[in-house]
Amino acid sequence: MPRATFDRLPGVAARVAPPLTGRALTTAAAPVKRQTFVFLDADPVPPTLRAPRADNRLPLLLDEAARLFGVQGFHGTSIRDIVRAVNMLPGSVYYHFATKDLLLAAVYAEGVRRISERVKAAIDGRSDPWERLEAACVAHLEALLARNDYAQVVIRVQPADVPSVAPRLVAERDAYERLFVDLIADLPVARSVDRRSLRLLLLGALNWTQTWYRPGRDGPRAIARRFVDLLRTSIARE
């Protein structure tokens, strides 16, 4: 008696069906048609044959989260607010981030990374300590006053606002400020100068600029240079 055959898929074992019985054999002379079946074994399909899970909306998700966190604040923004703009279901966010707090941490880290890269690029190749500090301040201020969404999150969201990820935010902030710790440590100033206070004073002045800055007057470069010139003329070692 002819047997039905089973076409084989790549990575799937083929099996042979038992002889046809019952109603399929109503008469001895009845022709038996060749039937083709696909039988899936319990063995999984090799990983190389699986389509990867698409996550190409992750950058868009981060961008929208940065925009809303910067405008509405972290606590004023819901997951639904964010996913609505990127055409995602609220539950889809949790494939990438288990909580909104962790989504914030990712946005914050990306913001720090972007500002850090600008500062590092600005000081690269410079040797004079005051010129290096000035270039870093210009890059920092340009990032803030460009109203970049990620930079706004870094400046406006305080670690204490989100206790569950506060240690991560503090670590990111400290890693960035280490750039200025090193820059100020290289300055030729009197030993009596408290370099930590100098760093906090300078970064505080730069960060506060966004509250009073108005386009059309001095730009970020001119403002940053003026700040550094004030420090240099006041504390530079003779």
Side-chain angles (χ1 to χ4, degrees):
M1 176 63 65
R3 292 186 176 185
T5 61
F6 295 78
D7 287 351
R8 185 176 181 180
L9 290 178
V12 180
R15 294 183 181 177
V16 178
L20 297 175
T21 59
R23 296 182 180 178
L25 301 176
T26 53
T27 64
V32 178
K33 295 182 180 180
R34 182 180 183 275
Q35 301 183 49
T36 301
F37 301 91
V38 174
F39 190 94
L40 296 179
D41 270 347
D43 296 332
V45 177
T48 55
L49 299 179
R50 296 175 186 163
R53 184 166 185 174
D55 61 352
N56 57 359
R57 286 181 296 177
L58 178 57
L60 187 60
L61 174 65
L62 292 175
D63 288 348
E64 186 62 19
R67 184 185 72 81
L68 291 174
F69 288 156
V71 173
Q72 301 176 184
F74 172 72
H75 294 295
T77 301
S78 69
I79 289 294
R80 289 187 179 277
D81 293 333
I82 298 169
V83 300
R84 188 179 298 117
V86 295
N87 194 29
M88 291 177 66
L89 295 174
S92 301
V93 176
Y94 300 112
Y95 167 65
H96 301 289
F97 305 102
T99 66
K100 188 178 75 166
D101 295 9
L102 292 175
L103 172 57
L104 169 70
V107 170
Y108 194 97
E110 176 63 14
V112 170
R113 185 191 67 79
R114 293 186 180 194
I115 302 174
S116 297
E117 287 187 351
R118 293 189 66 159
V119 171
K120 290 176 181 178
I123 65 178
D124 185 46
R126 299 176 184 269
S127 58
D128 180 79
W130 284 105
E131 289 182 0
R132 284 169 58 83
L133 179 62
E134 180 181 285
C137 291
V138 169
H140 179 90
L141 199 54
E142 285 179 340
L144 298 190
L145 298 185
R147 298 298 177 183
N148 177 277
D149 294 330
Y150 287 91
Q152 295 305 305
V153 172
V154 173
I155 295 301
R156 295 184 179 183
V157 175
Q158 300 301 312
D161 296 339
V162 196
S164 66
V165 293
R168 295 176 60 171
L169 304 190
V170 170
E172 294 285 353
R173 183 195 63 195
D174 289 351
Y176 173 69
E177 291 190 5
R178 172 58 59 181
L179 293 171
F180 284 85
V181 169
D182 294 340
L183 290 168
I184 291 176
D186 292 337
L187 294 178
V189 298
R191 294 180 60 183
S192 60
V193 173
D194 184 338
R195 295 175 189 261
R196 177 178 181 275
S197 296
L198 178 59
R199 169 175 55 86
L200 296 175
L201 175 68
L202 179 58
L203 286 174
L206 291 171
N207 293 343
W208 189 252
T209 300
Q210 63 177 336
T211 65
W212 54 261
Y213 174 74
R214 297 293 181 273
R217 296 186 178 182
D218 291 341
R221 184 173 298 272
I223 295 171
R225 286 176 172 172
R226 187 176 304 121
F227 284 178
V228 174
D229 284 342
L230 287 172
L231 292 178
R232 179 162 29 195
T233 56
S234 301
I235 64 174
R237 188 172 58 207
E238 297 294 338

